[in-house]
Amino acid sequence: MSYRQEYLNTPENTFLPIIVQGDLGTFHADFIVIKLGSFLHGFLSGVMEARYGHTFKQFLQKKFNVKSPPAWANYKNISNRTFRGEVPMHQRSKQEITNRIKEDGGLSQGFAGYISADELRELPGSDPSAPGLVLAVVGLKGFVTISEETTVEQVENIFKVLAANCPSNKKTVVAIPAFCFGDGKAKVDDDRMLLMNAQIKAMHNMSKKYPNIISICVTYSPTLQRLSLKAREAMITSDLRFPRVFDRDSSQKLIPELQADLVSGRIAMFIGTGVSVASGLPTWEEFIKRLCNASNVEFPEGGSSNQILEAAEKARNALGSNFATSLVECLYGFGTPLPSVTHYLLASLPQSTIITTNFDTLMETAIKKLKKAVFTISTPSEVSKAPIGDHHTNVLKLHGDVTTPEQVILSKSEFASYFAHKPAVATLLRGLLLNLSLIHISEPTRL
């Protein structure tokens, strides 16, 4: 069955930023944005020097003709001074503030500086795979109050800089942190929500203006993750129409659109156990039955889905340390299953993502056999590491992977709390459903 989302007919509704929680140093992106004011202090300073070499600070100092980088963050000691003996600095106009920053050897308010990965690779000790940088000023700590206006302005600056320096016929992925929420500027959720709404909306608007730039909003705490998801959901509610699901007959009319999406790589396959049945693997119910037999737990023949899940949880608990071995044996038997023709046909399609509830690795094997790069996403930590590009296929395994048995989802309680415990996976899934046409294949395919 094909599922088509009506709002995809409106291009401007397909550019919501991806939101993930983590450290900027872990992301596979073409560029990462570093907020000036604190980026060369403490932990992040060490990360930058480890990634770009010990001469990184001197490189920045020379490239942007500024004084020692640590001084860029130290405007607190002048923020309460009067400007030429008159009004305190934080009460002056933006131009007066910018002039004073320049006098002290810093960068102007609203600055966004571009450094290509090629430039950084030339530095002694630089990581050859490290991404480029965009240096951003979103107000200076203790010096300029952060507002919705300055947040929006900086997002616009970042996109304009990238658009001016990156090819328009190639996608550029940029990771942008949640701005200035750790500097004491917005201590309560209401204030943070205003700033987060401003940032997410600005990223959305600029992605519409520059469709070749894919933006990732990086949050670095559970609170910011919650607020960013709330801001994104608010945009979906206000700006997007609810997706419409079509039945089998009406979906035939969408074939030309799906063909166009397939050619352009805007298709994601959602595959269930039926695809692997052709390789000799059990259906979901048969798999649980095998697991129950291995653990001497009674299987509820003809029972409901809830009863089967309860039996699966009992079987897992009964197996204890033997669960990993039993999982493999119940799934694969005692042979080595091979991908079916269906696996190979699906793997040959020009798609960037396959979503599956299967534990097995047959889909990944088929992709590798076709000499294509594949990346498996089965845990929240792997979401931020997944490559984004035209030459990779990401396999999102919602229920886990047989190679990591401890992460496999089997019980009723695990399904009930799935999205609460895996917000990164939930966000990725929402993004895929918002931006791609989804084709669901579950029953064995007749070829």
Side-chain angles (χ1 to χ4, degrees):
M1 179 185 292
S2 297
Y3 296 88
R4 178 64 178 174
Q5 299 165 332
E6 185 178 13
Y7 53 74
L8 288 183
N9 293 326
T10 309
E12 63 268 22
N13 287 339
T14 65
F15 299 104
L16 286 169
I18 301 168
I19 298 172
V20 292
Q21 181 182 337
D23 171 21
L24 280 169
T26 67
F27 285 90
H28 289 261
D30 299 308
F31 292 90
I32 59 174
V33 174
I34 303 298
K35 176 179 67 69
L36 293 183
S38 59
F39 83 103
L40 283 176
H41 291 266
F43 169 74
L44 195 52
S45 174
V47 170
M48 292 295 104
E49 290 198 354
R51 174 176 278 182
Y52 299 114
H54 67 280
T55 62
F56 178 62
K57 291 182 182 179
Q58 292 87 339
F59 165 76
L60 294 183
Q61 187 176 352
K62 181 178 180 181
K63 180 176 178 67
F64 298 109
N65 191 28
V66 293
K67 294 181 180 179
S68 178
W72 299 349
N74 196 28
Y75 285 106
K76 188 172 183 179
N77 62 356
I78 67 168
S79 63
N80 294 320
R81 293 189 207 167
T82 57
F83 183 75
R84 296 176 181 171
E86 299 176 7
V87 183
M89 284 295 291
H90 66 277
Q91 297 179 14
R92 304 301 297 185
S93 69
K94 182 182 293 186
Q95 185 58 52
E96 290 172 324
I97 291 172
T98 291
N99 291 341
R100 183 54 183 272
I101 293 173
K102 288 182 177 179
E103 288 176 10
D104 282 22
L107 295 168
S108 63
Q109 175 68 7
F111 169 85
Y114 168 91
I115 309 176
S116 71
D118 289 339
E119 287 181 271
L120 294 167
R121 291 188 188 109
E122 295 178 358
L123 298 178
S126 180
D127 181 354
S129 64
L133 293 176
V134 177
L135 308 183
V137 175
V138 194
L140 299 172
K141 183 175 181 179
F143 190 62
V144 179
T145 301
I146 308 307
S147 66
E148 295 171 78
E149 179 185 5
T150 55
T151 298
V152 171
E153 180 184 40
Q154 194 60 76
V155 171
E156 292 175 348
N157 288 343
I158 291 164
F159 274 79
K160 289 175 182 176
V161 165
L162 288 175
N165 289 279
C166 299
S168 59
N169 60 347
K170 181 182 178 182
K171 291 181 180 178
T172 298
V173 181
V174 57
I176 305 176
F179 286 142
C180 295
F181 293 113
D183 293 339
K185 300 299 181 183
K187 289 296 186 183
V188 297
D189 276 3
D190 286 347
D191 294 337
R192 287 175 169 177
M193 197 71 241
L194 290 175
L195 296 177
M196 184 62 82
N197 280 333
Q199 179 169 347
I200 297 299
K201 187 173 183 178
M203 292 171 70
H204 173 56
N205 290 337
M206 296 308 288
S207 290
K208 290 191 293 184
K209 186 173 183 179
Y210 303 106
N212 62 306
I213 300 176
I214 300 172
S215 61
I216 302 174
C217 180
V218 183
T219 63
Y220 40 88
S221 73
T223 298
L224 292 184
Q225 177 77 355
R226 173 176 59 81
L227 294 176
S228 62
L229 290 174
K230 187 176 179 180
R232 195 174 185 277
E233 291 292 340
M235 287 204 64
I236 295 172
T237 302
S238 61
D239 291 347
L240 302 183
R241 288 168 286 175
F242 193 80
R244 180 157 53 97
V245 177
F246 294 84
D247 59 29
R248 187 182 299 271
D249 293 332
S250 62
S251 66
Q252 298 299 314
K253 302 175 183 178
L254 297 169
I255 290 178
E257 292 182 46
L258 289 174
Q259 288 175 330
D261 284 344
L262 183 60
V263 171
S264 62
R266 294 180 59 82
I267 285 284
M269 294 291 174
F270 192 112
I271 62 176
T273 56
V275 173
S276 294
V277 166
S279 295
L281 270 62
T283 63
W284 165 254
E285 189 170 324
E286 178 60 30
F287 167 72
I288 300 300
K289 187 174 183 178
R290 292 182 184 181
L291 207 60
C292 287
N293 291 337
S295 58
N296 294 319
V297 170
E298 183 179 355
F299 179 78
E301 292 286 356
S304 65
S305 297
N306 285 338
Q307 291 173 321
I308 294 174
L309 288 173
E310 289 171 0
E313 186 168 13
K314 291 178 182 178
R316 183 175 195 163
N317 293 336
L319 288 167
S321 60
N322 295 322
F323 174 71
T325 302
S326 297
L327 178 71
V328 175
E329 291 177 353
C330 292
L331 184 63
Y332 289 152
F334 296 95
T336 304
L338 299 174
S340 66
V341 175
T342 303
H343 283 108
Y344 283 111
L345 287 176
L346 295 176
S348 67
L349 296 175
Q351 57 191 322
S352 60
T353 304
I354 293 175
I355 307 168
T356 182
T357 53
N358 296 347
F359 306 142
D360 65 74
T361 59
L362 296 179
M363 195 70 248
E364 293 97 308
T365 300
I367 295 171
K368 291 176 183 177
K369 291 286 186 180
L370 295 180
K371 306 299 182 183
K372 297 170 68 175
V374 62
F375 185 86
T376 301
I377 306 171
S378 62
T379 63
S381 63
E382 289 168 337
V383 172
S384 63
K385 301 175 184 178
I388 301 176
D390 299 330
H391 304 293
H392 290 82
T393 300
N394 294 323
V395 179
L396 174 58
K397 311 186 87 165
L398 298 179
H399 294 173
D401 188 281
V402 68
T403 61
T404 53
E406 68 281 358
Q407 297 286 342
V408 166
I409 304 296
L410 278 179
S411 69
K412 181 179 177 181
S413 59
E414 289 171 329
F415 280 109
S417 60
Y418 183 89
F419 290 118
H421 290 145
K422 295 188 175 184
V425 175
T427 301
L428 174 60
L429 187 59
R430 287 191 189 100
L432 294 172
L433 295 177
L434 283 170
N435 290 284
L436 301 177
S437 293
L438 184 68
I439 297 179
H440 181 206
I441 301 175
S442 181
E443 298 178 358
T445 304
R446 292 182 176 86
L447 298 174

